[in-house]
Amino acid sequence: MYNVLWAIYGAMDSNGGGYNTVTSVLANLLATGNPVIPINNQTFGPDPAVGYIKAFVALVSVNGGLPILLAGGEGATLTLNP
């Protein structure tokens, strides 16, 4: 149903930060059949950028369709509706 092409979670600016590649984490989360994606360190941790507000970005194909871009800030919750 869901094909996760790539996903990242983190923060970057001129002073530093960091990010995690979370493609497999998102794929495993969506494989449960639950389309709810909480954007936080518990879901996508460990914290890749301590002291920074993080963002999540992913490219996901639903039911073999064209890929869609998902994005949200730390603390948000995204819900996919196939």
Side-chain angles (χ1 to χ4, degrees):
M1 177 181 251
Y2 300 105
N3 180 25
V4 180
L5 303 171
W6 57 263
I8 58 172
Y9 172 71
M12 295 295 288
D13 71 11
S14 61
N15 296 316
Y19 68 93
N20 292 334
T21 300
V22 295
T23 304
S24 61
V25 174
L26 180 60
N28 290 336
L29 180 67
L30 295 175
T32 67
N34 182 356
V36 177
I37 306 164
I39 303 172
N40 56 47
N41 293 328
Q42 290 72 34
T43 303
F44 297 117
D47 190 337
V50 176
Y52 290 84
I53 297 172
K54 271 68 75 182
F56 165 80
V57 180
L59 195 61
V60 178
S61 176
V62 181
N63 294 325
L66 293 173
I68 58 172
L69 183 68
L70 304 175
E74 183 177 21
T77 300
L78 300 177
T79 302
L80 287 175
N81 292 315

